[in-house]
Amino acid sequence: MTKHPRLLLWLILLVPWLSAPFLGKETVKRYGLASLFICLFIRLEGVLAEKRKWWWFYERLFPKANGETPLIWGQFLIGTIWILKFSYGNFIKYLLTNFVTDLFFIYPFSKFLKKHGIFSYVRLNEYQVYAVFFLKSLLIYGFQLAQETITKKKHIE
């Protein structure tokens, strides 16, 4: 266990934002809505997960905030834009990128969080969590595809 788990949570929230200037304005405009959508979805999922005890956060940045807040508004928000930037339009590349990213989160990163007294799985095992992540990656891709289809129709009209 670490002496300063809240410091780690601040780093988890803020470090991904250091890469945001390298995304470019057009990339953020194109993929930002899908990223925001999945972050809101994950926030709702967190409420359900807390009620059903799928996983548990022992430490929070703010007393009334969900324990997932730094993950959602840090690495998920920025990470989703990066993943879409480099793989959207090539579904196999997108799935492979998500596969590797999700495996990293589920195994070494979640074990790191557990070791430092921040988070642990309770009623879901790693395979079930991976299935949830996989479904969310499909949801993101589908959302982006729908958004771009709607945008193209508006430009045609």
Side-chain angles (χ1 to χ4, degrees), residues 74-88:
Q75 71 184 100
F76 282 112
L77 181 71
I78 301 300
T80 297
I81 297 171
W82 276 110
I83 289 171
L84 286 169
K85 177 180 178 147
F86 286 115
S87 63
Y88 184 75

Side-chain angles (χ1 to χ4, degrees), residues 46-114:
V47 171
L48 181 64
E50 195 169 325
K51 283 183 182 180
R52 297 192 183 230
K53 302 208 183 333
W54 289 349
W55 49 77
W56 192 254
F57 283 84
Y58 303 103
E59 195 65 45
R60 298 167 187 251
L61 275 184
F62 310 103
K64 295 189 184 214
N66 184 287
E68 296 172 322
T69 299
L71 294 167
I72 294 170
W73 302 110
Q75 71 184 100
F76 282 112
L77 181 71
I78 301 300
T80 297
I81 297 171
W82 276 110
I83 289 171
L84 286 169
K85 177 180 178 147
F86 286 115
S87 63
Y88 184 75
N90 183 336
F91 190 63
I92 300 300
K93 184 177 181 180
Y94 175 80
L95 288 178
L96 287 172
T97 303
N98 272 285
F99 177 75
V100 171
T101 305
D102 294 347
L103 281 180
F104 174 79
F105 180 84
I106 293 168
Y107 291 99
F109 190 66
S110 65
K111 289 187 187 324
F112 171 81
L113 294 176
K114 183 176 182 174

Side-chain angles (χ1 to χ4, degrees), residues 25-34 88-89 144 147-148:
K25 191 190 306 188
E26 289 303 312
T27 298
V28 173
K29 280 176 66 176
R30 183 176 181 187
Y31 302 120
L33 191 58
Y88 184 75
Q144 185 63 33
Q147 178 188 338
E148 293 205 357

Side-chain angles (χ1 to χ4, degrees), residues 8-19 70 73-75 78:
L8 279 175
L9 290 174
W10 277 109
L11 290 171
I12 289 167
L13 173 67
L14 298 174
V15 167
W17 283 93
L18 297 175
S19 72
W73 302 110
Q75 71 184 100
I78 301 300

